[in-house]
Amino acid sequence: MPTPTEIKKALISAGFELCRTRGEVVHIADRVRENLLMDSGIFVHAGRATVGFVVRAQHTDFPNETEEQLFVRARSLAERALARGYREVESTSRPIYDPGDGERKLDTWCEVQFERDAPAIEDALEEVRFALGFPKSAGSHE
């Protein structure tokens, strides 16, 4: 697998917008919100030669559901990816705190991370295109 620098150059050349790089992981800008903050749920990990993404269900969208039910909702977003060869690598319940008051919990996100091997840069580009093609957050509008 190429280095993070080579991955970044290839992604930019292919028209993708990058969010950040942390060590060997290049995060692709997945969603740009109205206030222009970028969110990144898709990444290329140079060290493991994988492409991955994170899906989530937020407690505020489904206030009457348990965390396990939220994880089921999140996992359902990745059904097409599982059929394509992705595998679940981690699930995490993450509290979201008010940025102005670190003691005030605003929400809980139930997140599930999936990855697939992408040994060549061409594979990584193809998988990033695929991962951009479906929602990463379950919404109460479903």
Side-chain angles (χ1 to χ4, degrees):
M1 184 67 159
T3 67
T5 301
E6 293 168 331
I7 291 169
K8 288 180 356 183
K9 286 179 184 177
L11 287 165
I12 291 168
S13 291
F16 297 109
E17 187 173 1
L18 305 183
C19 186
R20 66 182 165 271
T21 302
R22 290 187 177 155
E24 293 188 315
V25 182
V26 179
H27 296 267
I28 291 81
D30 187 13
R31 296 173 286 272
V32 178
R33 298 188 209 130
E34 290 177 21
N35 59 5
L36 301 179
L37 290 177
M38 287 185 282
D39 194 1
S40 180
I42 301 169
F43 59 90
V44 179
H45 194 298
R48 292 199 302 251
T50 60
V51 170
F53 61 88
V54 176
V55 292
R56 72 174 178 251
Q58 300 173 203
H59 190 261
T60 54
D61 288 339
F62 306 99
N64 298 321
E65 294 192 7
T66 65
E67 282 192 8
E68 190 50 46
Q69 290 170 312
L70 294 175
F71 280 118
V72 168
R73 281 188 183 275
R75 286 181 178 104
S76 72
L77 296 171
E79 288 176 358
R80 283 185 24 222
L82 291 171
R84 191 176 171 99
Y86 283 82
R87 62 196 174 280
E88 182 177 330
V89 295
E90 182 179 8
S91 61
T92 306
S93 176
R94 186 162 58 111
I96 303 300
Y97 291 97
D98 184 335
D101 178 2
E103 300 293 315
R104 183 171 167 245
K105 183 174 159 184
L106 299 175
D107 202 352
T108 300
W109 291 359
C110 293
E111 299 179 323
V112 185
Q113 181 175 317
F114 295 87
E115 291 183 9
R116 179 177 181 199
D117 294 340
I121 193 66
E122 296 79 17
D123 301 324
L125 294 173
E126 182 179 335
E127 294 310 317
V128 167
R129 280 187 197 91
F130 168 77
L132 284 167
F134 58 91
K136 308 303 174 301
S137 180
S140 56
H141 57 276
E142 297 175 337

